[in-house]
Amino acid sequence: MKEKIISLIEEALEVPAGTITEDTMIADVEKWDSLAHVMIIGELEEKLGISISLEDAVDLTGVGELLEKCGVI
């Protein structure tokens, strides 16, 4: 599931496969702005059935934290 989530993030950000890892910080990815963030959260729910509360989504700072909220690590 972790690989699916990372792949979904890379797809949403239109970055090459392998660009995003568990250690990636949101602030370090130029294309990961607030609009992209909303798209990623929406895609997680729509494509993978993973729901993250608005409060949790706003506080996310990195991919590892996102994976934790998704319950995969």
Side-chain angles (χ1 to χ4, degrees), residues 7-70:
S7 177
L8 181 143
I9 293 167
E10 289 172 334
E11 219 174 273
L13 297 175
E14 298 177 350
V15 297
T19 302
I20 303 296
T21 69
E22 196 174 315
D23 299 321
T24 301
M25 298 307 290
I26 292 170
D28 296 336
V29 182
E30 188 177 329
K31 291 186 174 186
W32 199 328
D33 58 14
S34 57
L35 180 58
H37 193 71
V38 170
M39 286 176 42
I40 290 166
I41 300 301
E43 291 280 302
L44 284 171
E45 187 156 0
E46 184 180 317
K47 292 186 176 176
L48 301 177
I50 298 171
S51 183
I52 298 176
S53 74
L54 179 60
E55 185 178 288
D56 285 342
V58 169
D59 292 337
L60 293 173
T61 59
V63 175
E65 196 177 345
L66 174 64
L67 293 171
E68 284 178 29
K69 297 293 182 192
C70 293

